[in-house]
Amino acid sequence: MSRTQSPDPMDRMGVYKKLDDVPSERRFEQYYDQYEGNDTYETFLTEFLFEKFDSDRTKEKYRLAGRRWKAHIATRGRHHALARPADVEAWMADLLDQVSLNTVYNIYWVKLERFYQWLQNHPNHPHTYHPVLMAAANFDHAGIVWEKKISRGRKRE
């Protein structure tokens, strides 16, 4: 029997479905001092991703997405590992104004979603919620990109 994941991002999250559901002591802003000055995205790349995928093309695409994400989140006054769902939504809105939906999904969304998934599963990070999935479930532009992801999966079935 084949197992498929739910197309609803709410079903792929843990207990917390919206930022308002997250107790204040578990919100990312509580951890700013722990992350200040650390390039967590680069750590994700070198200690996890590039061990599995080491082609020059993969490295280039992930680094591009990381540079753009870090630049965006810096304008919002946050560390790139400590985003709010609204930060993700704002980035998706900006990107969708600049490039095609396919590019937003393939070049940016996939990388950011994977980064936050790694953070959630890594024992050294306090990530009890996934701001990318929260954005997909609760905001329009991120929801559009999520639908792109889901539609791609349906074509494979």
Side-chain angles (χ1 to χ4, degrees):
M1 181 168 98
S2 147
R3 290 180 54 163
T4 59
Q5 288 187 317
S6 170
D8 185 343
M10 292 262 196
D11 294 338
R12 298 187 188 195
M13 289 184 241
V15 173
Y16 308 119
K17 308 298 185 195
K18 298 180 295 192
L19 190 57
D20 290 344
D21 296 340
V22 180
S24 59
E25 67 272 8
R26 292 192 168 249
R27 293 191 185 182
F28 295 159
E29 56 263 20
Q30 301 300 321
Y31 304 102
Y32 181 80
D33 291 345
Q34 179 181 331
Y35 284 85
E36 187 177 15
N38 292 329
D39 191 342
T40 310
Y41 190 85
E42 186 64 24
T43 301
F44 156 70
L45 295 179
T46 58
E47 292 182 7
F48 172 73
L49 194 82
F50 293 165
E51 288 183 3
K52 296 178 180 191
F53 307 100
D54 69 346
S55 76
D56 289 341
R57 183 180 167 114
T58 297
K59 289 177 181 180
E60 180 182 319
K61 286 185 175 188
Y62 269 87
R63 288 214 162 98
L64 168 67
R67 281 191 308 274
R68 299 247 357 234
W69 171 244
K70 288 184 265 186
H72 166 75
I73 201 75
T75 67
R76 298 179 66 87
R78 280 186 247 306
H79 186 277
H80 60 272
L82 305 176
R84 292 180 180 169
D87 300 324
V88 176
E89 171 65 6
W91 196 41
M92 293 301 111
D94 289 348
L95 288 170
L96 286 167
D97 282 345
Q98 298 172 31
V99 297
S100 74
L101 177 56
N102 281 336
T103 299
V104 173
Y105 174 73
N106 290 313
I107 303 300
Y108 302 105
W109 179 274
V110 169
K111 280 75 173 168
L112 189 61
E113 185 180 10
R114 183 176 267 171
F115 172 56
Y116 273 93
Q117 183 177 32
W118 175 78
L119 288 168
Q120 271 198 306
N121 292 311
H122 197 288
N124 294 339
H125 297 283
H127 288 68
T128 57
Y129 58 97
H130 197 303
V132 178
L133 296 179
M134 283 183 174
N138 295 292
F139 292 104
D140 292 338
H141 295 93
I144 290 167
V145 183
W146 178 262
E147 285 301 317
K148 176 65 176 174
K149 171 188 175 107
I150 296 305
S151 71
R152 292 174 52 92
R154 288 184 187 133
K155 290 178 185 174
R156 292 186 196 130
E157 292 175 359

